[in-house]
Each structure stands twice: as structure tokens, then as C-alpha cells.
Amino acid sequence: MSTHSRPDRPGGFVVPADIEAMTRHPKAAGPGEPIRMHNPMCLGCGEDAPRGLHLVVRAGEGFTVETEMDVEPWMEGGPGVIHGGVLSTAFDEVMGTAPLLVGPSAVTVHLEVDFLAPVPVGSRLQLSARLLGRQRRKIYVEALGHIGDPERPVAVGHSIFVSINAREHFADHVERSQMPDEYKQRLSRP
């Protein structure tokens, strides 16, 4: 993966010059280990989501994560290829899991995906993401998707996440969630 900024677009992805050094969180998953699922009903990683992607994101070396996804017929957009929204969801999930290597929960505030080649139904898509750094609460991430050859990406993504207190952030919404009560109790106000 190569880091690149998009200063040519207003509001585009730009990594600030005064990026802070990162330290891997002591409780972060080790290389090859799955990173904990945050919500069993999550469209991206939730094992109980009836129409979800069910991605299992694994920690890599340093500040990297990776996953793979079988592109199934229900994901079709254009004839015989994945829908761009489904692909964007997969990118959001893999990039959104990467901040857990350095701290607690974070939410997406900026997401961009550049589609470079069609992703055929029936293929296995590999996704990897890398933390680029942080600036206070903002965490900068890049990702790459390919089918078998990392040198021939089918899509690249960039995102910015903001660290949050999950209990405060989701308190007004948790009661509408489909998640089991034991998960809701963790996020409910005391």
C-alpha cells in the first residue's frame, strides 16, 4: 500500500504534517488473531446480522489488519460484479477495525473508495488496512483490496476516524438496536 493524499479535492483525504506517533494498545489482538466484534448485528462484522458481510478482521504486523470476503451473488450491482456500496461497506469495516489496534472505539467521519477494476461475483476479495497515524482524536487509515495479486488492486480506500466514548456516543440510539440485551446493557446509560 502506498500512502497518498488528495489535496486536489476540497475536503479530500489529507494526512496532516504533524501526525503523532502511535503505540499498539496492550490489549490489542496479536498478529493473526481476530479483532473483537463490536456488535453481533453489525452489517460488516456481525455474526448474527441476517444480511451482513460477516467479515472476520485479523490483526497483522505493526498497525495493519486484514480480511477476505467471498463475493456472493446477492452482492451484485452491475451484471456479474459487486455493488459499489457493498464494496464500500467492506472497506469501512476493515478500516474501522484498524483503530482498535491503538485504542478504544472510533467512528467513521470520512470515507473514500476509489474503484479501480470490476470485482466479479464468485471471486474472493482480500482487504488490508494500515493505520497511517493520528492527530489528537483523528485516526488516519488507508486500505487496499485485491483478488489474489496485491500488485493489482481493484480498489483503494482512505478514511478518517474519530475516537469516541462508545457509551456516550450511542446512548440515545442503543434501544433501537437489534443487538441482544447483554450488549445493550454495556452501552446504556448508568
Side-chain angles (χ1 to χ4, degrees):
M1 261 181 289
S2 64
T3 305
H4 71 278
S5 298
R6 300 293 305 262
D8 57 321
R9 286 199 263 171
F13 184 84
V14 177
V15 178
D18 61 340
I19 207 84
E20 300 167 16
M22 296 181 298
T23 304
R24 195 169 176 124
H25 193 278
K27 294 183 180 179
E33 294 178 356
I35 296 176
R36 68 176 171 77
M37 176 187 54
H38 62 98
N39 173 0
M41 296 304 293
C42 173
L43 179 66
C45 69
E47 61 188 18
D48 297 335
R51 292 177 288 249
L53 299 180
H54 307 124
L55 297 177
V56 176
V57 180
R58 296 186 180 283
E61 298 292 332
F63 299 105
T64 64
V65 296
E66 56 192 29
T67 192
E68 55 186 26
M69 175 178 88
D70 291 326
V71 181
E72 300 174 6
W74 71 266
M75 299 173 179
E76 184 173 32
V81 297
I82 197 170
H83 187 283
V86 174
L87 185 55
S88 294
T89 299
F91 267 85
D92 190 35
E93 187 63 37
V94 73
M95 287 191 285
T97 304
L100 294 173
L101 294 174
V102 295
S105 299
V107 293
T108 312
V109 296
H110 177 85
L111 172 69
E112 62 184 40
V113 178
D114 293 320
F115 305 99
L116 306 176
V119 178
V121 169
S123 62
R124 175 165 279 189
L125 178 66
Q126 282 99 30
L127 296 159
S128 58
R130 179 171 65 104
L131 294 173
L132 301 174
R134 71 183 313 151
Q135 182 186 53
R136 293 177 291 284
R137 290 179 51 218
K138 291 182 180 177
I139 302 168
Y140 297 81
V141 185
E142 70 177 355
L144 172 84
H146 65 88
I147 304 169
D149 183 357
E151 298 299 317
R152 298 185 63 192
V154 294
V156 295
H158 294 91
S159 58
I160 303 170
F161 294 85
V162 173
S163 298
I164 61 162
N165 175 310
R167 183 175 296 221
E168 291 174 10
H169 186 82
F170 296 109
D172 293 338
H173 311 287
V174 71
E175 285 307 314
R176 288 187 289 278
S177 175
Q178 301 297 308
M179 69 171 53
D181 286 340
E182 65 264 19
Y183 286 90
K184 286 181 184 180
Q185 289 171 0
R186 290 184 210 161
L187 293 174
S188 296
R189 291 189 179 181

